[in-house]
Amino acid sequence: MQIQIHEQLDETLIAEIRSYLQGHADADAVSSDHDPRWMSVLKNALDHRTFVIIARDENQLVGYLPLELVSSRLFGRFLVSLPYLNLAGLVADDETTKEALLDEASDLARVHDVQYMELRHGEGVTHDNLTQQRDEKVRMVLDLPTDSDALWSNLKAKVRNQIRKGDKFDLSMHWGGLDIVDDFYNVFAINMRDLGTPVYPRNLFTEILRTFPETAELGIVRHEGQAIAGALLIHDPLRTSGGITQVPSASTLRQFNHTNANMWMYHHLLCRAIERGAGRFDFGRSSEDSGTYRFKKQWGALPIPTVWQYHVRRGDINAVRPDSPKYKRRIETWQKLPVWVTRLVGPSIVRGIP
């Protein structure tokens, strides 16, 4: 077996990795987050150094582990698979290959002197160096029917009533890409400020839209001509039908909560996923019984475990998490800043958060 590390991926290697992922025997171990094109997106938008570890047996690809080096003076150094995404950990044909890839990744962590390596898995893997994990959050995933009428019939009466309230405010849904990225980002940046969270850079979304032109799109909700809600949809780039549509980023302006724009938008997101041939809709991760968990559950989504595993070399895996108590005062301060300040400063901060 040969283990190789690539920092640059050419079109031939990208195609080979995609073919390997699409034909993998364990389809549940592969997600759209594994698409190797994400590596250039994150590198270009977040200024991360990328490492793709692959295993070959008789020149055939038998394992794949994407990693990005997240580094900043403020937080430190980390290897992550992958930032911004929820499910981009190890994919391999057998246990021997998994161990070989993890040995190489552990050595990479040592060479670059990271505090820890974080592997974002659906199911955990076994390795002596993976000594800690976080599994308190679950992915909320909805099995989609074949048409929007069936979706409507499956919704509870309370959910349908909230969607109908949105109809009364004459909301309109607009789909696009780079042409509406400014509208999306304006809403997104305001919402992130209100949450007390540093905002991702605008070019993260432009990179996603340029890299996945066939499967990434933005949806914008307008009220009286103003963009009041927006979402990024990623339709499965590794499966032509029956795949998973995910919504990695979505926001609504709080002053328009009375319009039920968020509920109205999510109904349209689900209908769009059905229209695009998706078999499931991934609402993203939530802590059980949290507000976001209950929001997703009302649509019929069911929890699927996630296991984020850690090779810790020093420090605490919870130290840079936004929900750490030590950040409470900073979050409150951030919420009071003008949006233009958060848009200016936020991207340089979030680049360093694993």
Side-chain angles (χ1 to χ4, degrees):
M1 182 188 303
Q2 291 180 310
I3 303 296
Q4 303 169 342
I5 298 179
H6 297 267
E7 293 193 47
Q8 301 290 336
L9 301 182
D10 59 27
E11 292 300 322
T12 301
L13 184 55
I14 288 173
E16 183 184 11
I17 294 172
R18 281 173 49 81
S19 178
Y20 168 70
L21 294 171
Q22 290 167 333
H24 197 270
D26 186 1
D28 290 336
V30 176
S31 82
S32 59
D33 295 349
H34 285 107
D35 192 305
R37 292 175 293 177
W38 278 109
M39 305 302 288
S40 64
V41 168
L42 299 172
K43 178 181 179 179
N44 294 337
L46 301 178
D47 198 27
H48 294 160
R49 189 173 173 184
T50 64
F51 301 95
V52 171
I53 309 176
I54 61 174
R56 294 187 184 276
D57 186 13
E58 296 183 355
N59 208 37
Q60 295 297 311
L61 207 157
V62 294
Y64 168 65
L65 175 57
L67 292 163
E68 301 237 344
L69 180 62
V70 180
S71 178
S72 75
R73 293 181 179 179
L74 187 60
F75 300 112
R77 297 164 67 85
F78 313 89
L79 274 177
V80 184
S81 70
L82 285 170
Y84 185 67
L85 305 172
N86 290 327
L87 204 64
L90 178 69
V91 178
D93 287 5
D94 53 49
E95 295 302 318
T96 300
T97 306
K98 290 179 183 178
E99 184 170 0
L101 288 169
L102 291 171
D103 285 345
E104 191 69 29
S106 298
D107 191 55
L108 199 64
R110 177 189 59 80
V111 169
H112 293 283
D113 193 29
V114 302
Q115 290 162 238
Y116 60 71
M117 176 174 66
E118 178 181 84
L119 304 179
R120 301 181 175 185
H121 290 133
E123 294 185 10
V125 297
T126 301
H127 191 274
D128 289 344
N129 287 337
L130 299 179
T131 57
Q132 297 187 45
Q133 68 180 41
R134 296 184 57 149
D135 57 9
E136 72 276 11
K137 289 192 175 185
V138 295
R139 291 167 54 228
M140 296 298 288
V141 178
L142 173 66
D143 287 333
L144 295 171
T146 56
D147 60 70
S148 56
D149 289 338
L151 173 69
W152 183 259
S153 298
N154 292 343
L155 297 176
K156 294 180 179 179
K158 181 180 179 181
V159 174
R160 292 199 298 265
N161 286 337
Q162 291 183 73
I163 297 168
R164 289 191 184 103
K165 288 180 181 178
D167 289 330
K168 296 178 180 178
F169 285 92
D170 196 26
L171 305 179
S172 58
M173 193 77 194
H174 303 263
W175 299 101
L178 294 171
D179 55 320
I180 57 173
V181 71
D182 285 338
D183 286 335
F184 166 79
Y185 194 69
N186 287 338
V187 172
F188 183 72
I190 293 171
N191 188 53
M192 291 299 101
R193 189 279 310 270
D194 291 345
L195 293 172
T197 303
V199 66
Y200 283 106
R202 177 184 178 277
N203 68 324
L204 172 63
F205 303 103
T206 60
E207 284 288 335
I208 292 171
L209 293 166
R210 289 191 180 109
T211 303
F212 300 99
E214 303 299 325
T215 56
E217 63 178 338
L218 297 173
I220 296 294
V221 178
R222 297 189 190 280
H223 173 60
E224 297 180 351
Q226 179 182 352
I228 65 170
L232 169 68
L233 283 186
I234 306 289
H235 307 290
D236 202 326
L238 295 174
R239 299 174 181 86
T240 55
S241 64
I244 299 179
T245 290
Q246 58 175 313
V247 53
S249 294
S251 292
T252 302
L253 298 181
R254 293 185 177 186
Q255 64 264 41
F256 292 95
N257 284 350
H258 66 281
T259 68
N260 276 27
N262 202 45
M263 292 292 294
W264 192 88
M265 176 177 70
Y266 266 86
H267 178 237
H268 280 264
L269 299 181
L270 293 172
C271 290
R272 186 68 165 185
I274 293 171
E275 181 184 328
R276 294 291 297 263
R280 290 184 288 174
F281 188 93
D282 188 342
F283 286 85
R285 293 169 72 243
S286 293
S287 298
E288 291 199 59
D289 295 323
S290 65
T292 58
Y293 177 93
R294 292 190 294 272
F295 172 83
K296 297 165 185 178
K297 184 179 179 181
Q298 69 183 329
W299 296 97
L302 298 176
I304 296 178
T306 62
V307 182
W308 288 15
Q309 296 179 275
Y310 296 85
H311 166 39
V312 182
R313 301 184 66 251
R314 62 181 179 275
D316 180 359
I317 63 173
N318 299 307
V320 297
R321 292 296 168 194
D323 52 1
S324 174
K326 71 178 183 179
Y327 291 120
K328 181 179 179 181
R329 183 168 295 179
R330 297 180 190 180
I331 290 172
E332 292 173 350
T333 300
W334 193 267
Q335 290 171 321
K336 299 174 183 177
L337 294 175
V339 174
W340 71 266
V341 174
T342 66
R343 289 180 61 158
L344 181 66
V345 179
S348 63
I349 296 175
V350 79
R351 285 187 179 98
I353 300 176

